[in-house]
Amino acid sequence: MENFDRFKFDRGSLSRPRNPGISAYMRIKNEEQFVRTAILSHIDFYDEIIAVYNDCTDNTEGILTELAQQYPRKLKVHHYPPKVHWAHSAEYAQVAGDSVHGAANYSNYALSKTTRTVATKLDADHLAIPGKLASLTEVIRRDIAAGKRKLYYFSGINLARNSDGKIGVAGHVPFVGNRDHYYHPVGEGFHYKNNKLAEYLAIEDATLETEYMGIMCFHLKYLKHDSAFGKYRSEAERVYMQNKLGKFEWVDFAEFRSAQYRAKMKKRMDFYDRLHVDLYAGEFFRKAKYKLTGTPPKLAHVRLARLAEDLAGIDWRRDAIDKLQRRAI
């Protein structure tokens, strides 16, 4: 039996000296369909991308090797050979928190390979929205230069196909990012842990300023050939996830960005939530809430409150459709 001790996460490794800048770290398993798209759409905005692949049986490794040769200064590729038990699988709950077979250790291993002062988890099925990401990374770099430590969290839009193959929004689950997509400082106070269902980024500094930055990417999970459920080995696991997502609903992007559809999403909320969406429509009240309580507005509230502003900056055809059609998906 192979000894995988060298892959055990050393929390102290996050305290080594780092250069100012932004790192992205990826955990990748059988992502040949979109991993090239994800890396190429993000690489210009980061100082480095750390791509760590595990148990791949498709051409993921070949694609990563090719891209690393193309971008030797920016893309660093690592192999993580221990078998990883993913969240929601039957084996996940049986794995010790610090096991090399756990998703948390795998994530921490990828994070430990970064070399910059700020890092973000990059999924292999995210397509960056260039204008949005350029603005966000400019803010982060300005804050780094000023010595400011902060959490910046963001969301993405889930894309899906209708029965005719047209790409639109997955209306039953339109957003990805439930305060689990961050740009965060790197240090011992930021590392992954396992809970009962999935790994999560533990943030030990409760005083750190936190701000929601808006929509930054398109999530391509539901455009995958296996409808994103291929990694769930048992039928019970697939059924659980499908039921969790709810009944499929497809929405044309023109409809999704309309005031009528935003009103429809708002109507699904209870009275308390609708009240907060209205309150946070103005940036003044969002900032006042933070100053008074020290906590940012609830994500569901602030995301819908500023959604019109976020969508107005997206060119649906240029930023998504044309890029995906060139891939002939």
Side-chain angles (χ1 to χ4, degrees):
M1 185 174 180
E2 187 174 352
N3 187 337
F4 291 130
D5 284 350
R6 69 186 185 280
F7 294 100
K8 285 187 176 180
F9 170 58
D10 174 14
R11 187 172 172 182
S13 66
L14 298 180
S15 295
R16 68 175 182 262
R18 291 174 169 269
N19 294 321
I22 304 172
S23 300
Y25 53 99
M26 306 178 73
R27 301 90 35 84
I28 306 168
K29 175 176 176 161
N30 289 344
E31 295 283 1
E32 67 176 359
Q33 189 174 358
F34 291 124
V35 67
R36 185 189 303 273
T37 299
I39 290 173
L40 292 181
S41 69
H42 286 86
I43 200 164
D44 288 342
F45 301 100
Y46 302 142
D47 297 287
E48 64 178 3
I49 294 179
I50 306 300
V52 184
Y53 67 94
N54 170 258
D55 197 24
C56 292
T57 57
D58 62 3
N59 192 37
T60 294
E61 181 180 357
I63 294 170
L64 293 177
T65 300
E66 176 190 336
L67 290 175
Q69 292 171 349
Q70 186 177 352
Y71 298 94
R73 294 186 178 182
K74 277 203 168 186
L75 180 62
K76 309 299 180 183
V77 177
H78 300 270
H79 181 213
Y80 187 87
K83 177 72 174 179
V84 175
H85 300 303
W86 295 92
H88 307 294
S89 69
E91 297 86 354
Y92 172 86
Q94 309 301 320
V95 174
D98 61 350
S99 169
V100 295
H101 303 292
N105 190 88
Y106 180 29
S107 298
N108 284 324
Y109 178 83
L111 174 59
S112 73
K113 296 299 181 182
T114 63
T115 66
R116 303 295 171 146
T117 51
V118 171
T120 186
K121 175 173 67 72
L122 172 59
D123 289 348
D125 53 9
H126 282 189
L127 171 62
I129 302 172
K132 297 291 187 179
L133 191 54
S135 297
L136 170 58
T137 52
E138 182 181 347
V139 169
I140 295 173
R141 292 187 188 282
R142 188 166 60 241
D143 286 347
I144 291 173
K148 187 174 186 178
R149 298 174 79 249
K150 186 174 175 179
L151 284 175
Y152 315 81
Y153 65 107
F154 64 94
S155 297
I157 297 174
N158 283 320
L159 302 185
R161 292 188 189 87
N162 65 5
S163 58
D164 296 325
K166 184 178 179 181
I167 296 174
V169 177
H172 60 302
V173 52
F175 304 111
V176 63
N178 186 20
R179 294 202 65 183
D180 58 348
H181 285 67
Y182 287 101
Y183 288 78
H184 60 87
V186 181
E188 293 189 37
F190 305 86
H191 61 281
Y192 286 85
K193 295 182 178 180
N194 290 324
N195 63 20
K196 291 182 179 180
L197 293 178
E199 79 280 8
Y200 67 98
L201 181 64
I203 300 169
E204 297 183 355
D205 185 355
T207 66
L208 203 63
E209 183 182 351
T210 303
E211 184 176 1
Y212 177 63
M213 306 302 291
I215 303 293
M216 294 294 148
C217 64
F218 295 110
H219 189 206
L220 312 180
K221 180 175 183 176
Y222 303 107
L223 297 180
K224 291 180 179 177
H225 300 315
D226 60 9
S227 300
F229 297 107
K231 71 178 181 180
Y232 300 109
R233 290 183 293 171
S234 75
E235 182 63 22
E237 290 164 5
R238 287 191 289 272
V239 169
Y240 167 79
M241 289 305 298
Q242 288 169 333
N243 289 339
K244 182 179 178 181
L245 294 174
K247 186 177 179 181
F248 179 80
E249 176 189 347
W250 182 90
V251 182
D252 182 85
F253 191 73
E255 178 185 356
F256 182 73
R257 73 190 310 165
S258 69
Q260 292 81 0
Y261 195 80
R262 292 195 301 276
K264 180 179 178 180
M265 286 192 283
K266 181 178 170 184
K267 191 175 181 179
R268 294 172 179 172
M269 297 177 165
D270 62 27
F271 174 78
Y272 172 85
D273 289 330
R274 294 197 300 270
L275 184 64
H276 279 80
V277 170
D278 290 338
L279 183 64
Y280 297 140
E283 186 177 358
F284 170 81
F285 287 100
R286 297 198 294 266
K287 292 185 175 181
K289 150 80 172 178
Y290 195 91
K291 288 182 179 179
L292 289 172
T293 66
T295 58
K298 186 177 177 181
L299 175 58
H301 299 158
V302 68
R303 182 161 55 195
L304 188 54
R306 58 172 288 170
L307 186 59
E309 171 189 346
D310 284 339
L311 296 181
I314 298 173
D315 184 319
W316 174 245
R317 177 154 296 279
R318 180 197 65 203
D319 294 335
I321 298 298
D322 288 349
K323 291 179 180 178
L324 293 173
Q325 286 181 342
R326 283 197 295 270
R327 285 189 42 82
I329 62 169

